Amino acid sequence: MSPADPAGTATAPVPADPAGTGAVARLTGLVAALRAHGFGIGTGETVDAGQALDAVGFTDRERIREALAATLLHGEAQRPVFDRVFDLYFPLGGAGTAEEYDGTPAGLASLRERLAEALTAGDGAALDRLAAEAVGGFGGYGTGPGSDGWSSYQTLSRVRPETLLARVRERLGTAPGAEDPAFTERLLDDEIRRRIEAFRERVRTEARRRVAERQGRDSVARRAVAGTADTVDFLLAGRAQLDELRRTVRPLARKLATRLAARRRVAARGEIDLRRTLRRSLSTGGVPVRPVFRRRPPRRPELVLLCDVSGSVAGFAQFTMLLVRALHDQFSRVRVFAFVNRVDEVTELIARGPTDPAGLGERILAEAELTGWHGQSDYGTALGEFADRYAEAVGPRTVVFVLGDARTNGSDPNLAALKRIADRARRVHWLNPEQPSLWGTGDSVAPAYAGLVEMRPCRNARQLGTLIGRLLPV
């Protein structure tokens, strides 16, 4: 049973021209779509995937899935995205058109009854057929050429598979002789919910497949398939996605720590000592075969984070705080400040706070003094208060990262305060989770701040890791 098929699916061949150029087009399209989602797939791995397809043939779709996953993927975290893209390029065959399905209330009642039977039996093949029938009968909308034509949301809101839990539980019943019936019932409910979620995912896959037939697989694979956790936009991430991102903090921190340590070793060699190099060259006839370097004393930078924790940018700040906590040993000193319209130091809260971004954010908002008479972010007031109250936190060895979207809600941006901070610090970097095309629109004063300090877009965890690894001094 594959990860993409939790309820179990009967062996199915891949439909339509799998041989010859059709197979090549499918494979290259799949690889291009995965690369668009940030997967590092090289030419050699693509060739290996083609040889794997030649070895397993096209009679078993799940065997094709596993063969391509084994040759193209670099980690288990990539598997959900791979499965959704695979279903577009190697779909199940046999799906009909909307006219073949009964979209009447009687047809809906019949579909729900057969769905309950399939969920009770755990019949994956039947669930595949019912997902196609549900989308064909109840997911169609629009007739224009620009319309997607099929909606998984509309389908699921009509079919409502989650309401079948009690009916399926009654049919399955509790195993006779169970020592703890309540515990057994909870396990049974969990299993039923897992099967229902598997059906919901089948409906989503079927809707994407139908949309891809109309708009093209390549377009849908890039636009309608969510990427891996480290490519999720911070401004769009929900709590579940932030919790998933939390699991990437320590691997990302280890990678960054290794990169910083390597840069520090290289930088420790310092500049060439010309006098000692020439003196040593006397033993080799005046040829400076072995240059002598001035050794730099080991010195780690100081880091200050100044984070906007209001509204939609809060998830970005929370994840960055967790990343910096995991990287703490790479700095001689780390201080973290949070603000909405007032600034407060939260270094200790970060050190002993929860390990999930949302829980950390709730604790900061509850225990730190971040708001005055109104709850809207005010960058000008916050920057001014930081420059006045915490000037000693910034010195010639300090790198300051400001995290926020630079939206002042119409208040004074206080550019003078940011300039005072920049004059005291070794370097100030502003990481903005909004795309550059939005800077300066509405109440954004990003261009004004960017005239004083380096402002860079940082929209997801992958960009954040790259920027921190590149911008931190050694």
Side-chain angles (χ1 to χ4, degrees):
M1 190 183 300
S2 73
D5 192 17
T9 299
T11 298
V14 176
D17 69 346
T21 58
V24 174
R26 287 173 187 248
L27 178 58
T28 55
L30 173 71
V31 170
L34 293 175
R35 285 174 175 167
H37 282 287
F39 289 31
I41 301 176
T43 304
E45 291 157 317
T46 306
V47 172
D48 290 343
Q51 293 175 338
L53 284 181
D54 185 54
V56 302
F58 292 90
T59 58
D60 188 331
R61 181 169 176 265
E62 292 310 309
R63 184 175 294 176
I64 295 173
R65 183 195 301 271
E66 298 305 322
L68 292 179
T71 51
L72 297 177
L73 302 189
H74 295 160
E76 190 62 29
Q78 297 177 333
R79 186 61 190 256
V81 178
F82 167 82
D83 284 327
R84 295 185 183 103
V85 176
F86 174 88
D87 287 334
L88 290 174
Y89 287 90
F90 296 85
L92 280 169
T97 62
E99 291 74 20
E100 297 178 16
Y101 301 121
D102 185 357
T104 65
L108 177 61
S110 172
L111 173 66
R112 283 172 54 83
E113 178 61 29
R114 286 179 284 127
L115 177 58
E117 293 176 0
L119 291 171
T120 302
D123 187 344
L127 290 175
D128 284 330
R129 292 191 298 271
L130 290 170
E133 182 176 341
V135 175
F138 306 101
Y141 71 90
T143 57
S147 170
D148 282 349
W150 307 102
S151 167
S152 60
Y153 175 80
Q154 179 174 297
T155 304
L156 293 171
S157 65
R158 295 283 302 279
V159 177
R160 295 182 297 134
E162 65 278 0
T163 62
L164 298 174
L165 188 145
R167 190 185 305 183
V168 176
R169 183 202 303 128
E170 182 180 354
R171 294 184 180 185
L172 287 173
T174 304
E179 296 182 2
D180 188 349
F183 178 70
T184 304
E185 287 181 6
R186 286 197 299 272
L187 290 179
L188 184 61
D189 284 355
D190 289 343
E191 173 62 20
I192 297 171
R193 290 190 182 95
R194 187 182 66 84
R195 294 181 184 181
I196 290 174
E197 182 55 35
F199 173 75
R200 294 171 67 90
E201 185 59 34
R202 281 174 163 83
V203 169
R204 298 185 191 104
T205 299
E206 175 65 15
R208 283 194 296 265
R209 184 193 67 79
R210 288 171 178 263
V211 173
E213 287 182 347
R214 176 170 297 189
Q215 296 192 358
R217 286 188 297 243
D218 296 340
S219 173
V220 174
R222 289 162 174 76
R223 177 176 55 84
V225 176
T228 53
D230 61 345
T231 61
V232 173
D233 196 317
F234 284 123
L235 298 184
L236 303 178
R239 177 156 190 163
Q241 290 170 313
L242 287 175
D243 288 341
E244 186 177 356
L245 271 178
R246 173 180 56 84
R247 293 191 285 272
T248 70
V249 167
R250 293 206 172 276
L252 178 58
R254 285 196 298 269
K255 183 185 298 183
L256 288 175
T258 302
R259 188 181 305 167
L260 289 172
R263 286 176 55 197
R264 194 172 289 120
R265 283 195 300 271
V266 172
R269 297 176 62 182
E271 299 177 348
I272 291 180
D273 187 327
L274 183 59
R275 177 178 294 181
R276 294 176 61 194
T277 299
L278 292 177
R279 181 175 297 176
R280 176 177 288 183
S281 70
L282 296 177
S283 63
T284 56
V287 180
V289 175
R290 292 182 299 164
V292 180
F293 295 89
R294 295 188 181 96
R295 307 296 295 184
R296 287 177 52 186
R299 182 180 299 172
R300 296 184 179 185
E302 298 175 359
L303 181 65
V304 167
L305 289 186
L306 185 56
C307 311
D308 180 3
V309 294
S310 66
S312 59
V313 300
F316 167 48
Q318 294 154 12
F319 179 80
T320 308
M321 291 176 187
L322 291 177
L323 178 61
V324 168
R325 181 170 75 175
L327 279 171
H328 187 275
D329 292 341
Q330 298 300 313
F331 309 100
S332 60
R333 185 176 64 165
V334 175
R335 297 182 70 176
V336 182
F337 300 86
F339 70 89
V340 176
N341 52 57
R342 292 193 59 193
V343 175
D344 199 1
E345 184 168 5
V346 295
T347 306
E348 291 301 319
L349 291 179
I350 301 298
R352 53 185 175 86
T355 58
D356 65 290
L360 179 62
E362 291 169 358
R363 181 168 184 176
I364 289 173
L365 291 175
E367 299 188 23
E369 297 182 6
L370 306 179
T371 59
W373 61 273
H374 65 88
Q376 296 179 324
S377 58
D378 184 341
Y379 280 79
T381 300
L383 290 171
E385 186 178 0
F386 177 79
D388 293 336
R389 291 179 55 193
Y390 300 105
E392 86 288 347
V394 181
R397 291 180 53 196
T398 306
V399 179
V400 179
F401 279 91
V402 184
L403 313 178
D405 58 5
R407 293 193 173 271
T408 63
N409 292 295
S411 60
D412 178 14
N414 199 351
L415 300 178
L418 181 60
K419 188 175 188 310
R420 287 165 56 195
I421 297 170
D423 289 342
R424 291 182 59 89
R426 176 177 181 178
R427 188 67 61 86
V428 177
H429 301 289
W430 192 305
L431 303 185
N432 192 327
E434 285 192 336
Q435 54 186 337
S437 61
L438 297 178
W439 296 359
T441 62
D443 59 350
S444 171
V445 294
Y449 287 141
L452 298 175
V453 299
E454 285 188 273
M455 181 174 290
R456 299 172 182 268
C458 183
R459 303 182 60 193
N460 54 55
R462 182 173 297 177
Q463 285 185 344
L464 176 63
T466 301
L467 285 172
I468 289 181
R470 189 171 75 237
L471 298 179
L472 283 176
V474 293

